Amino acid sequence: MTRVLVAIPEPRAAALAAELDLEEVEVVSVVPEDAILPLPAGLDVVVARATRAVITPALIDACDRAGVRIVPLGGDDQRLIVRYGLSAPLPEEASGWQVVAEIMADAPLPRTEPPPLAPHRVTAVWGPPGAPGRSTLAIQLAVELSRTGRHTALVDADTVAPSLSLLLGLSDDDPGIAAACRRAELGALDVAELTRLSATVDTSGGTIEVLGGINRPSRWPELSGPRLTAALQACRGWAQETIVDVSAAFDADDEATYDLTGPRRHAATAAALVEADTIIAVASADPLGISRFLREHAELRRITGPAPVMVVVNQLRAGPLGLDARGQIRRTLERFAGITDVAFVPFDQRAADAALLHARPIADVVPRSPLVAGVRRLAAGLSPAAGATADSSRGSSRGARRLRPARAAQGA
């Protein structure tokens, strides 16, 4: 985790510190502008105003020796910026995500070598009703896994509101998963057939194969449980990573009907969850979203059995829950569901809107978005090929890279 010192006037300093905490950046301390020196041990970044009273030769010398990066805010003194080789200053009222984006600006992309003998996996992305961001997260996760060099497929198995084709600018008349299910039922679904039925999408992380969903919800009987199970089993031999976007509803409501032999409305969701090697359970970071997630989580565990479930809280921001949003969510999930391992993805409405406008993955249109960085950390937890520093900005920022020789010399 990147360690930051904030040295700007109050009350903006306290607010910026809270915003940085939401972005999983550790704020070491908030100090007055004339109390930056001496620098705390283990510091990575100093956030300060770009004025001659603050950016002094003594500060520059101390930061250079300790390998600490300076992120300037405000000011219009270009000679000062050029003289010390600093990056272009951010607006004085820059938000936390803008500061994090500047810190991560020159972070190297993860390694692209696939891990040796890595298994082919199916990952289902599920979430309760209320649009917690299942489809957006599935798309971005596929991009980040493809960035590691893994052949990645994206499958839309949502029988209620399929949306992957629309989000990626594909035609909803493509054969997609419905045709794959029909071929699987006949035993004729192989690698060549899957390649023919899929649409290829070139992204910043690499090429992903997309099996679009049904273009009308009334076609849900085509995605029966046995059909989809057979199709996903065929996908294991086709792609190294198969990401499946499913609907929120399970099949439990159909079990109460008298027609137990007919097709079930949500059998596709249950089949994908049972077949998956890993399940990404997405919750929205607001009181209603967490409440809905807790109500559905027990049923999810009943259906999936031993499959590991990774809980991801999406759209994290302070608005609905206050300043300590992350802490409140952790305590609630631990108290009512016994969930202690939670990943968080920040809220970035600007990036989400840009992706919708261009019908592209967020990483393609706003590559420095904190949302992209959050999903990249999530992908790092799923794949060892995502790189040793992909789960944290610490170690990949300019300050951290410059800090290594200094710390090695101290250790020696």
Side-chain angles (χ1 to χ4, degrees):
M1 181 180 290
T2 303
R3 307 184 75 218
V4 176
L5 181 143
V6 177
I8 59 177
E10 295 288 1
R12 179 56 191 154
L16 180 59
E19 293 171 7
L20 291 174
D21 181 69
L22 286 177
E23 303 294 339
E24 296 186 351
V25 170
E26 180 184 353
V27 178
V28 176
S29 61
V30 178
V31 301
E33 294 181 317
D34 58 352
I36 301 177
L37 298 177
L39 296 174
L43 190 66
D44 292 328
V45 178
V46 170
V47 178
R49 289 197 304 164
T51 63
R52 293 182 180 273
V54 178
I55 309 299
T56 62
L59 176 62
I60 296 296
D61 181 64
C63 289
D64 285 345
R65 282 187 284 106
V68 175
R69 181 182 176 188
I70 298 176
V71 174
L73 302 183
D76 56 358
D77 193 341
Q78 293 298 324
R79 295 182 61 185
L80 179 69
I81 300 300
V82 173
R83 176 183 178 184
Y84 293 122
L86 302 177
S87 58
L90 298 174
E92 194 157 346
E93 296 298 322
S95 59
W97 71 263
Q98 291 176 294
V99 175
V100 172
E102 178 65 21
I103 294 173
M104 299 284 291
D106 63 344
L109 294 176
R111 292 182 293 112
T112 58
E113 303 83 15
L117 303 179
H120 291 204
R121 301 179 303 179
V122 174
T123 303
V125 180
W126 170 88
R134 295 183 300 268
S135 299
T136 300
L137 193 66
I139 292 172
Q140 191 55 43
L141 183 61
V143 172
E144 296 307 324
L145 288 175
S146 178
R147 195 185 304 279
T148 67
R150 305 271 284 171
H151 180 207
T152 305
L154 186 59
V155 178
D156 193 344
D158 191 337
T159 56
V160 177
S163 58
L164 292 186
S165 293
L166 294 175
L167 291 174
L168 292 173
L170 303 175
S171 171
D172 60 357
D173 291 327
D174 290 342
I177 187 60
C181 285
R182 292 192 297 270
R183 300 293 287 172
E185 187 178 34
L186 298 174
L189 188 64
D190 54 15
V191 172
E193 192 67 10
L194 282 167
T195 302
R196 184 183 71 83
L197 296 174
S198 65
T200 300
V201 177
D202 294 323
T203 72
S204 61
T207 299
I208 59 176
E209 310 283 351
V210 181
L211 287 173
I214 52 179
N215 55 8
R216 295 186 306 276
S218 60
R219 294 178 57 192
W220 62 264
E222 299 181 38
L223 303 187
S224 65
R227 281 181 168 186
L228 184 62
T229 298
L232 293 180
Q233 289 173 351
C235 286
R236 290 183 184 275
W238 174 49
Q240 294 173 300
E241 300 284 352
T242 303
I243 309 298
V244 188
D245 181 23
V246 300
S247 66
F250 302 110
D251 210 13
D253 55 344
D254 293 336
E255 295 176 358
T257 64
Y258 292 100
D259 186 9
L260 298 180
T261 60
R264 297 182 178 180
R265 181 72 169 88
H266 308 301
T269 298
L273 293 174
V274 171
E275 182 64 26
D277 301 299
T278 304
I279 298 169
I280 307 295
V282 186
S284 180
D286 57 73
L288 184 57
I290 296 299
S291 176
R292 287 171 170 168
F293 178 83
L294 289 172
R295 285 199 298 265
E296 299 288 340
H297 180 260
E299 184 67 14
L300 173 70
R301 293 305 306 163
R302 183 186 72 83
I303 292 177
T304 58
V309 176
M310 179 180 294
V311 177
V312 177
V313 177
N314 194 22
Q315 304 171 359
L316 180 69
R317 71 272 194 202
L321 295 170
L323 291 179
D324 190 20
R326 182 180 286 105
Q328 292 187 60
I329 292 172
R330 285 189 186 277
R331 290 189 293 270
T332 301
L333 293 178
E334 182 176 5
R335 176 182 178 185
F336 293 102
I339 299 171
T340 57
D341 189 7
V342 185
F344 293 90
V345 176
F347 182 65
D348 190 350
Q349 188 63 57
R350 182 179 66 91
D353 289 345
L356 283 173
L357 175 63
H358 297 283
R360 299 292 301 169
I362 294 177
D364 289 7
V365 293
V366 191
R368 297 180 182 178
S369 166
L371 191 154
V372 173
V375 179
R376 189 166 297 168
R377 288 192 293 268
L378 177 62
L382 291 174
S383 174
T389 62
D391 60 340
S392 171
S393 56
R394 186 178 179 85
S396 60
S397 66
R398 180 189 303 171
R401 292 199 303 276
R402 292 168 56 191
L403 201 58
R404 291 173 192 156
R407 286 179 177 167
Q410 291 176 0

PDB file of all heavy atoms in Angstrom, residues 358-394:
ATOM      1  N   HIS A 358     -18.762   5.094 -25.191  1.00  0.00           N
ATOM      2  CA  HIS A 358     -17.968   4.536 -26.282  1.00  0.00           C
ATOM      3  C   HIS A 358     -18.196   3.036 -26.476  1.00  0.00           C
ATOM      4  O   HIS A 358     -17.612   2.452 -27.403  1.00  0.00           O
ATOM      5  CB  HIS A 358     -16.485   4.790 -26.027  1.00  0.00           C
ATOM      6  CG  HIS A 358     -16.121   6.250 -25.992  1.00  0.00           C
ATOM      7  ND1 HIS A 358     -15.990   7.006 -27.136  1.00  0.00           N
ATOM      8  CD2 HIS A 358     -15.884   7.098 -24.956  1.00  0.00           C
ATOM      9  CE1 HIS A 358     -15.669   8.248 -26.804  1.00  0.00           C
ATOM     10  NE2 HIS A 358     -15.600   8.331 -25.495  1.00  0.00           N
ATOM     11  N   ALA A 359     -19.019   2.409 -25.612  1.00  0.00           N
ATOM     12  CA  ALA A 359     -19.266   0.959 -25.684  1.00  0.00           C
ATOM     13  C   ALA A 359     -17.948   0.196 -25.680  1.00  0.00           C
ATOM     14  O   ALA A 359     -17.691  -0.669 -26.523  1.00  0.00           O
ATOM     15  CB  ALA A 359     -20.096   0.612 -26.909  1.00  0.00           C
ATOM     16  N   ARG A 360     -17.103   0.525 -24.720  1.00  0.00           N
ATOM     17  CA  ARG A 360     -15.792  -0.100 -24.588  1.00  0.00           C
ATOM     18  C   ARG A 360     -15.542  -0.421 -23.119  1.00  0.00           C
ATOM     19  O   ARG A 360     -16.167   0.163 -22.227  1.00  0.00           O
ATOM     20  CB  ARG A 360     -14.680   0.837 -25.079  1.00  0.00           C
ATOM     21  CG  ARG A 360     -14.772   1.236 -26.532  1.00  0.00           C
ATOM     22  CD  ARG A 360     -14.521   0.064 -27.452  1.00  0.00           C
ATOM     23  NE  ARG A 360     -13.201  -0.510 -27.221  1.00  0.00           N
ATOM     24  CZ  ARG A 360     -12.803  -1.683 -27.735  1.00  0.00           C
ATOM     25  NH1 ARG A 360     -13.630  -2.392 -28.466  1.00  0.00           N
ATOM     26  NH2 ARG A 360     -11.585  -2.129 -27.505  1.00  0.00           N
ATOM     27  N   PRO A 361     -14.607  -1.311 -22.812  1.00  0.00           N
ATOM     28  CA  PRO A 361     -14.219  -1.525 -21.409  1.00  0.00           C
ATOM     29  C   PRO A 361     -13.653  -0.245 -20.803  1.00  0.00           C
ATOM     30  O   PRO A 361     -13.082   0.590 -21.508  1.00  0.00           O
ATOM     31  CB  PRO A 361     -13.156  -2.631 -21.501  1.00  0.00           C
ATOM     32  CG  PRO A 361     -13.423  -3.321 -22.800  1.00  0.00           C
ATOM     33  CD  PRO A 361     -13.938  -2.252 -23.728  1.00  0.00           C
ATOM     34  N   ILE A 362     -13.809  -0.095 -19.527  1.00  0.00           N
ATOM     35  CA  ILE A 362     -13.340   1.122 -18.857  1.00  0.00           C
ATOM     36  C   ILE A 362     -11.829   1.284 -19.032  1.00  0.00           C
ATOM     37  O   ILE A 362     -11.333   2.400 -19.198  1.00  0.00           O
ATOM     38  CB  ILE A 362     -13.727   1.087 -17.366  1.00  0.00           C
ATOM     39  CG1 ILE A 362     -15.254   1.139 -17.216  1.00  0.00           C
ATOM     40  CG2 ILE A 362     -13.083   2.236 -16.594  1.00  0.00           C
ATOM     41  CD1 ILE A 362     -15.742   1.038 -15.794  1.00  0.00           C
ATOM     42  N   ALA A 363     -11.093   0.184 -19.008  1.00  0.00           N
ATOM     43  CA  ALA A 363      -9.633   0.277 -19.149  1.00  0.00           C
ATOM     44  C   ALA A 363      -9.218   0.852 -20.484  1.00  0.00           C
ATOM     45  O   ALA A 363      -8.114   1.387 -20.611  1.00  0.00           O
ATOM     46  CB  ALA A 363      -9.006  -1.103 -18.963  1.00  0.00           C
ATOM     47  N   ASP A 364     -10.078   0.764 -21.504  1.00  0.00           N
ATOM     48  CA  ASP A 364      -9.737   1.294 -22.822  1.00  0.00           C
ATOM     49  C   ASP A 364      -9.932   2.802 -22.915  1.00  0.00           C
ATOM     50  O   ASP A 364      -9.213   3.476 -23.652  1.00  0.00           O
ATOM     51  CB  ASP A 364     -10.589   0.627 -23.902  1.00  0.00           C
ATOM     52  CG  ASP A 364     -10.195  -0.817 -24.134  1.00  0.00           C
ATOM     53  OD1 ASP A 364      -9.359  -1.335 -23.364  1.00  0.00           O
ATOM     54  OD2 ASP A 364     -10.729  -1.431 -25.081  1.00  0.00           O
ATOM     55  N   VAL A 365     -10.905   3.334 -22.188  1.00  0.00           N
ATOM     56  CA  VAL A 365     -11.231   4.756 -22.326  1.00  0.00           C
ATOM     57  C   VAL A 365     -10.695   5.591 -21.170  1.00  0.00           C
ATOM     58  O   VAL A 365     -10.382   6.772 -21.352  1.00  0.00           O
ATOM     59  CB  VAL A 365     -12.758   4.944 -22.469  1.00  0.00           C
ATOM     60  CG1 VAL A 365     -13.248   4.369 -23.779  1.00  0.00           C
ATOM     61  CG2 VAL A 365     -13.527   4.318 -21.323  1.00  0.00           C
ATOM     62  N   VAL A 366     -10.607   5.030 -19.968  1.00  0.00           N
ATOM     63  CA  VAL A 366     -10.048   5.755 -18.811  1.00  0.00           C
ATOM     64  C   VAL A 366      -9.066   4.809 -18.117  1.00  0.00           C
ATOM     65  O   VAL A 366      -9.364   4.256 -17.051  1.00  0.00           O
ATOM     66  CB  VAL A 366     -11.153   6.211 -17.828  1.00  0.00           C
ATOM     67  CG1 VAL A 366     -10.574   7.182 -16.796  1.00  0.00           C
ATOM     68  CG2 VAL A 366     -12.298   6.871 -18.572  1.00  0.00           C
ATOM     69  N   PRO A 367      -7.902   4.576 -18.702  1.00  0.00           N
ATOM     70  CA  PRO A 367      -6.984   3.557 -18.166  1.00  0.00           C
ATOM     71  C   PRO A 367      -6.461   3.866 -16.776  1.00  0.00           C
ATOM     72  O   PRO A 367      -6.053   2.952 -16.060  1.00  0.00           O
ATOM     73  CB  PRO A 367      -5.848   3.526 -19.194  1.00  0.00           C
ATOM     74  CG  PRO A 367      -5.916   4.853 -19.892  1.00  0.00           C
ATOM     75  CD  PRO A 367      -7.370   5.225 -19.917  1.00  0.00           C
ATOM     76  N   ARG A 368      -6.483   5.156 -16.374  1.00  0.00           N
ATOM     77  CA  ARG A 368      -5.971   5.505 -15.053  1.00  0.00           C
ATOM     78  C   ARG A 368      -7.063   5.590 -13.995  1.00  0.00           C
ATOM     79  O   ARG A 368      -6.821   6.066 -12.886  1.00  0.00           O
ATOM     80  CB  ARG A 368      -5.229   6.838 -15.124  1.00  0.00           C
ATOM     81  CG  ARG A 368      -3.999   6.796 -16.024  1.00  0.00           C
ATOM     82  CD  ARG A 368      -3.298   8.142 -16.061  1.00  0.00           C
ATOM     83  NE  ARG A 368      -2.145   8.120 -16.957  1.00  0.00           N
ATOM     84  CZ  ARG A 368      -1.375   9.174 -17.197  1.00  0.00           C
ATOM     85  NH1 ARG A 368      -1.640  10.330 -16.609  1.00  0.00           N
ATOM     86  NH2 ARG A 368      -0.351   9.072 -18.027  1.00  0.00           N
ATOM     87  N   SER A 369      -8.238   5.115 -14.306  1.00  0.00           N
ATOM     88  CA  SER A 369      -9.335   5.158 -13.352  1.00  0.00           C
ATOM     89  C   SER A 369      -9.012   4.307 -12.116  1.00  0.00           C
ATOM     90  O   SER A 369      -8.468   3.202 -12.244  1.00  0.00           O
ATOM     91  CB  SER A 369     -10.617   4.645 -14.010  1.00  0.00           C
ATOM     92  OG  SER A 369     -11.613   4.384 -13.047  1.00  0.00           O
ATOM     93  N   PRO A 370      -9.357   4.771 -10.924  1.00  0.00           N
ATOM     94  CA  PRO A 370      -9.172   3.926  -9.726  1.00  0.00           C
ATOM     95  C   PRO A 370     -10.013   2.669  -9.778  1.00  0.00           C
ATOM     96  O   PRO A 370      -9.688   1.665  -9.159  1.00  0.00           O
ATOM     97  CB  PRO A 370      -9.585   4.849  -8.580  1.00  0.00           C
ATOM     98  CG  PRO A 370     -10.430   5.907  -9.198  1.00  0.00           C
ATOM     99  CD  PRO A 370      -9.894   6.093 -10.586  1.00  0.00           C
ATOM    100  N   LEU A 371     -11.119   2.714 -10.530  1.00  0.00           N
ATOM    101  CA  LEU A 371     -11.925   1.511 -10.706  1.00  0.00           C
ATOM    102  C   LEU A 371     -11.118   0.438 -11.434  1.00  0.00           C
ATOM    103  O   LEU A 371     -11.150  -0.746 -11.065  1.00  0.00           O
ATOM    104  CB  LEU A 371     -13.197   1.851 -11.477  1.00  0.00           C
ATOM    105  CG  LEU A 371     -14.311   0.807 -11.563  1.00  0.00           C
ATOM    106  CD1 LEU A 371     -15.669   1.497 -11.775  1.00  0.00           C
ATOM    107  CD2 LEU A 371     -14.081  -0.190 -12.678  1.00  0.00           C
ATOM    108  N   VAL A 372     -10.386   0.835 -12.459  1.00  0.00           N
ATOM    109  CA  VAL A 372      -9.538  -0.104 -13.190  1.00  0.00           C
ATOM    110  C   VAL A 372      -8.464  -0.670 -12.268  1.00  0.00           C
ATOM    111  O   VAL A 372      -8.185  -1.872 -12.268  1.00  0.00           O
ATOM    112  CB  VAL A 372      -8.899   0.577 -14.414  1.00  0.00           C
ATOM    113  CG1 VAL A 372      -7.889  -0.336 -15.084  1.00  0.00           C
ATOM    114  CG2 VAL A 372      -9.979   0.996 -15.406  1.00  0.00           C
ATOM    115  N   ALA A 373      -7.865   0.198 -11.452  1.00  0.00           N
ATOM    116  CA  ALA A 373      -6.837  -0.271 -10.520  1.00  0.00           C
ATOM    117  C   ALA A 373      -7.416  -1.253  -9.515  1.00  0.00           C
ATOM    118  O   ALA A 373      -6.770  -2.246  -9.161  1.00  0.00           O
ATOM    119  CB  ALA A 373      -6.215   0.927  -9.794  1.00  0.00           C
ATOM    120  N   GLY A 374      -8.662  -1.010  -9.059  1.00  0.00           N
ATOM    121  CA  GLY A 374      -9.294  -1.925  -8.120  1.00  0.00           C
ATOM    122  C   GLY A 374      -9.542  -3.293  -8.717  1.00  0.00           C
ATOM    123  O   GLY A 374      -9.300  -4.323  -8.078  1.00  0.00           O
ATOM    124  N   VAL A 375     -10.027  -3.339  -9.959  1.00  0.00           N
ATOM    125  CA  VAL A 375     -10.277  -4.626 -10.609  1.00  0.00           C
ATOM    126  C   VAL A 375      -8.956  -5.316 -10.938  1.00  0.00           C
ATOM    127  O   VAL A 375      -8.858  -6.544 -10.900  1.00  0.00           O
ATOM    128  CB  VAL A 375     -11.128  -4.435 -11.877  1.00  0.00           C
ATOM    129  CG1 VAL A 375     -11.364  -5.768 -12.568  1.00  0.00           C
ATOM    130  CG2 VAL A 375     -12.459  -3.791 -11.536  1.00  0.00           C
ATOM    131  N   ARG A 376      -7.930  -4.551 -11.224  1.00  0.00           N
ATOM    132  CA  ARG A 376      -6.615  -5.148 -11.489  1.00  0.00           C
ATOM    133  C   ARG A 376      -6.079  -5.839 -10.241  1.00  0.00           C
ATOM    134  O   ARG A 376      -5.476  -6.918 -10.327  1.00  0.00           O
ATOM    135  CB  ARG A 376      -5.646  -4.067 -11.966  1.00  0.00           C
ATOM    136  CG  ARG A 376      -4.307  -4.600 -12.470  1.00  0.00           C
ATOM    137  CD  ARG A 376      -3.555  -3.525 -13.221  1.00  0.00           C
ATOM    138  NE  ARG A 376      -4.296  -3.122 -14.414  1.00  0.00           N
ATOM    139  CZ  ARG A 376      -3.998  -2.043 -15.130  1.00  0.00           C
ATOM    140  NH1 ARG A 376      -2.988  -1.256 -14.767  1.00  0.00           N
ATOM    141  NH2 ARG A 376      -4.707  -1.751 -16.205  1.00  0.00           N
ATOM    142  N   ARG A 377      -6.323  -5.244  -9.074  1.00  0.00           N
ATOM    143  CA  ARG A 377      -5.935  -5.906  -7.828  1.00  0.00           C
ATOM    144  C   ARG A 377      -6.737  -7.192  -7.646  1.00  0.00           C
ATOM    145  O   ARG A 377      -6.220  -8.202  -7.165  1.00  0.00           O
ATOM    146  CB  ARG A 377      -6.141  -4.967  -6.645  1.00  0.00           C
ATOM    147  CG  ARG A 377      -5.137  -3.825  -6.569  1.00  0.00           C
ATOM    148  CD  ARG A 377      -5.228  -3.112  -5.234  1.00  0.00           C
ATOM    149  NE  ARG A 377      -6.501  -2.421  -5.088  1.00  0.00           N
ATOM    150  CZ  ARG A 377      -6.710  -1.152  -5.428  1.00  0.00           C
ATOM    151  NH1 ARG A 377      -5.728  -0.457  -5.975  1.00  0.00           N
ATOM    152  NH2 ARG A 377      -7.885  -0.584  -5.248  1.00  0.00           N
ATOM    153  N   LEU A 378      -8.019  -7.144  -8.008  1.00  0.00           N
ATOM    154  CA  LEU A 378      -8.858  -8.333  -7.914  1.00  0.00           C
ATOM    155  C   LEU A 378      -8.343  -9.436  -8.837  1.00  0.00           C
ATOM    156  O   LEU A 378      -8.269 -10.607  -8.452  1.00  0.00           O
ATOM    157  CB  LEU A 378     -10.302  -7.968  -8.265  1.00  0.00           C
ATOM    158  CG  LEU A 378     -11.331  -9.093  -8.293  1.00  0.00           C
ATOM    159  CD1 LEU A 378     -11.448  -9.727  -6.914  1.00  0.00           C
ATOM    160  CD2 LEU A 378     -12.685  -8.564  -8.752  1.00  0.00           C
ATOM    161  N   ALA A 379      -7.974  -9.074 -10.063  1.00  0.00           N
ATOM    162  CA  ALA A 379      -7.431 -10.055 -10.999  1.00  0.00           C
ATOM    163  C   ALA A 379      -6.117 -10.623 -10.492  1.00  0.00           C
ATOM    164  O   ALA A 379      -5.801 -11.800 -10.734  1.00  0.00           O
ATOM    165  CB  ALA A 379      -7.251  -9.414 -12.378  1.00  0.00           C
ATOM    166  N   ALA A 380      -5.336  -9.811  -9.804  1.00  0.00           N
ATOM    167  CA  ALA A 380      -4.071 -10.302  -9.258  1.00  0.00           C
ATOM    168  C   ALA A 380      -4.314 -11.387  -8.229  1.00  0.00           C
ATOM    169  O   ALA A 380      -3.520 -12.321  -8.098  1.00  0.00           O
ATOM    170  CB  ALA A 380      -3.289  -9.145  -8.634  1.00  0.00           C
ATOM    171  N   GLY A 381      -5.413 -11.282  -7.476  1.00  0.00           N
ATOM    172  CA  GLY A 381      -5.737 -12.318  -6.521  1.00  0.00           C
ATOM    173  C   GLY A 381      -6.206 -13.603  -7.173  1.00  0.00           C
ATOM    174  O   GLY A 381      -6.133 -14.674  -6.569  1.00  0.00           O
ATOM    175  N   LEU A 382      -6.701 -13.504  -8.393  1.00  0.00           N
ATOM    176  CA  LEU A 382      -7.178 -14.690  -9.106  1.00  0.00           C
ATOM    177  C   LEU A 382      -6.077 -15.373  -9.891  1.00  0.00           C
ATOM    178  O   LEU A 382      -6.099 -16.585 -10.078  1.00  0.00           O
ATOM    179  CB  LEU A 382      -8.309 -14.304 -10.073  1.00  0.00           C
ATOM    180  CG  LEU A 382      -9.636 -13.884  -9.458  1.00  0.00           C
ATOM    181  CD1 LEU A 382     -10.586 -13.405 -10.547  1.00  0.00           C
ATOM    182  CD2 LEU A 382     -10.263 -15.038  -8.691  1.00  0.00           C
ATOM    183  N   SER A 383      -5.111 -14.600 -10.386  1.00  0.00           N
ATOM    184  CA  SER A 383      -4.099 -15.159 -11.287  1.00  0.00           C
ATOM    185  C   SER A 383      -2.711 -14.767 -10.826  1.00  0.00           C
ATOM    186  O   SER A 383      -2.422 -13.582 -10.649  1.00  0.00           O
ATOM    187  CB  SER A 383      -4.326 -14.656 -12.717  1.00  0.00           C
ATOM    188  OG  SER A 383      -3.272 -15.077 -13.550  1.00  0.00           O
ATOM    189  N   PRO A 384      -1.817 -15.756 -10.632  1.00  0.00           N
ATOM    190  CA  PRO A 384      -0.440 -15.418 -10.255  1.00  0.00           C
ATOM    191  C   PRO A 384       0.310 -14.687 -11.340  1.00  0.00           C
ATOM    192  O   PRO A 384       1.345 -14.093 -11.095  1.00  0.00           O
ATOM    193  CB  PRO A 384       0.199 -16.791  -9.981  1.00  0.00           C
ATOM    194  CG  PRO A 384      -0.622 -17.754 -10.764  1.00  0.00           C
ATOM    195  CD  PRO A 384      -2.023 -17.192 -10.758  1.00  0.00           C
ATOM    196  N   ALA A 385      -0.217 -14.692 -12.567  1.00  0.00           N
ATOM    197  CA  ALA A 385       0.469 -14.001 -13.665  1.00  0.00           C
ATOM    198  C   ALA A 385       0.211 -12.521 -13.680  1.00  0.00           C
ATOM    199  O   ALA A 385       0.726 -11.808 -14.514  1.00  0.00           O
ATOM    200  CB  ALA A 385       0.027 -14.587 -15.006  1.00  0.00           C
ATOM    201  N   ALA A 386      -0.611 -12.012 -12.731  1.00  0.00           N
ATOM    202  CA  ALA A 386      -0.946 -10.608 -12.749  1.00  0.00           C
ATOM    203  C   ALA A 386       0.174  -9.721 -12.251  1.00  0.00           C
ATOM    204  O   ALA A 386       0.084  -8.511 -12.290  1.00  0.00           O
ATOM    205  CB  ALA A 386      -2.204 -10.361 -11.911  1.00  0.00           C
ATOM    206  N   GLY A 387       1.244 -10.349 -11.726  1.00  0.00           N
ATOM    207  CA  GLY A 387       2.393  -9.536 -11.352  1.00  0.00           C
ATOM    208  C   GLY A 387       2.500  -9.381  -9.860  1.00  0.00           C
ATOM    209  O   GLY A 387       1.521  -9.344  -9.131  1.00  0.00           O
ATOM    210  N   ALA A 388       3.703  -9.259  -9.371  1.00  0.00           N
ATOM    211  CA  ALA A 388       3.933  -9.218  -7.935  1.00  0.00           C
ATOM    212  C   ALA A 388       3.437  -7.950  -7.305  1.00  0.00           C
ATOM    213  O   ALA A 388       3.138  -7.912  -6.121  1.00  0.00           O
ATOM    214  CB  ALA A 388       5.430  -9.390  -7.657  1.00  0.00           C
ATOM    215  N   THR A 389       3.365  -6.870  -8.032  1.00  0.00           N
ATOM    216  CA  THR A 389       2.951  -5.602  -7.456  1.00  0.00           C
ATOM    217  C   THR A 389       1.588  -5.161  -7.923  1.00  0.00           C
ATOM    218  O   THR A 389       1.179  -4.046  -7.669  1.00  0.00           O
ATOM    219  CB  THR A 389       3.971  -4.499  -7.802  1.00  0.00           C
ATOM    220  OG1 THR A 389       3.991  -4.348  -9.223  1.00  0.00           O
ATOM    221  CG2 THR A 389       5.347  -4.836  -7.315  1.00  0.00           C
ATOM    222  N   ALA A 390       0.837  -6.046  -8.603  1.00  0.00           N
ATOM    223  CA  ALA A 390      -0.460  -5.638  -9.138  1.00  0.00           C
ATOM    224  C   ALA A 390      -1.491  -5.428  -8.065  1.00  0.00           C
ATOM    225  O   ALA A 390      -2.468  -4.741  -8.266  1.00  0.00           O
ATOM    226  CB  ALA A 390      -0.965  -6.684 -10.135  1.00  0.00           C
ATOM    227  N   ASP A 391      -1.259  -6.014  -6.853  1.00  0.00           N
ATOM    228  CA  ASP A 391      -2.255  -5.866  -5.808  1.00  0.00           C
ATOM    229  C   ASP A 391      -2.044  -4.617  -4.975  1.00  0.00           C
ATOM    230  O   ASP A 391      -2.753  -4.379  -4.022  1.00  0.00           O
ATOM    231  CB  ASP A 391      -2.242  -7.097  -4.884  1.00  0.00           C
ATOM    232  CG  ASP A 391      -0.886  -7.283  -4.213  1.00  0.00           C
ATOM    233  OD1 ASP A 391       0.098  -6.728  -4.735  1.00  0.00           O
ATOM    234  OD2 ASP A 391      -0.825  -7.986  -3.183  1.00  0.00           O
ATOM    235  N   SER A 392      -1.089  -3.817  -5.310  1.00  0.00           N
ATOM    236  CA  SER A 392      -0.842  -2.613  -4.534  1.00  0.00           C
ATOM    237  C   SER A 392      -0.067  -1.628  -5.378  1.00  0.00           C
ATOM    238  O   SER A 392       0.779  -2.003  -6.186  1.00  0.00           O
ATOM    239  CB  SER A 392      -0.042  -2.956  -3.263  1.00  0.00           C
ATOM    240  OG  SER A 392       0.373  -1.790  -2.600  1.00  0.00           O
ATOM    241  N   SER A 393      -0.348  -0.355  -5.183  1.00  0.00           N
ATOM    242  CA  SER A 393       0.428   0.655  -5.872  1.00  0.00           C
ATOM    243  C   SER A 393       1.807   0.799  -5.253  1.00  0.00           C
ATOM    244  O   SER A 393       2.717   1.332  -5.854  1.00  0.00           O
ATOM    245  CB  SER A 393      -0.312   1.993  -5.823  1.00  0.00           C
ATOM    246  OG  SER A 393      -0.570   2.344  -4.488  1.00  0.00           O
ATOM    247  N   ARG A 394       1.991   0.293  -4.027  1.00  0.00           N
ATOM    248  CA  ARG A 394       3.305   0.321  -3.407  1.00  0.00           C
ATOM    249  C   ARG A 394       4.211  -0.648  -4.156  1.00  0.00           C
ATOM    250  O   ARG A 394       3.895  -1.807  -4.363  1.00  0.00           O
ATOM    251  CB  ARG A 394       3.194  -0.093  -1.946  1.00  0.00           C
ATOM    252  CG  ARG A 394       4.514   0.043  -1.171  1.00  0.00           C
ATOM    253  CD  ARG A 394       4.276  -0.351   0.279  1.00  0.00           C
ATOM    254  NE  ARG A 394       5.498  -0.254   1.053  1.00  0.00           N
ATOM    255  CZ  ARG A 394       5.939   0.832   1.619  1.00  0.00           C
ATOM    256  NH1 ARG A 394       5.243   1.931   1.490  1.00  0.00           N
ATOM    257  NH2 ARG A 394       7.052   0.860   2.313  1.00  0.00           N
TER     258      ARG A 394
END
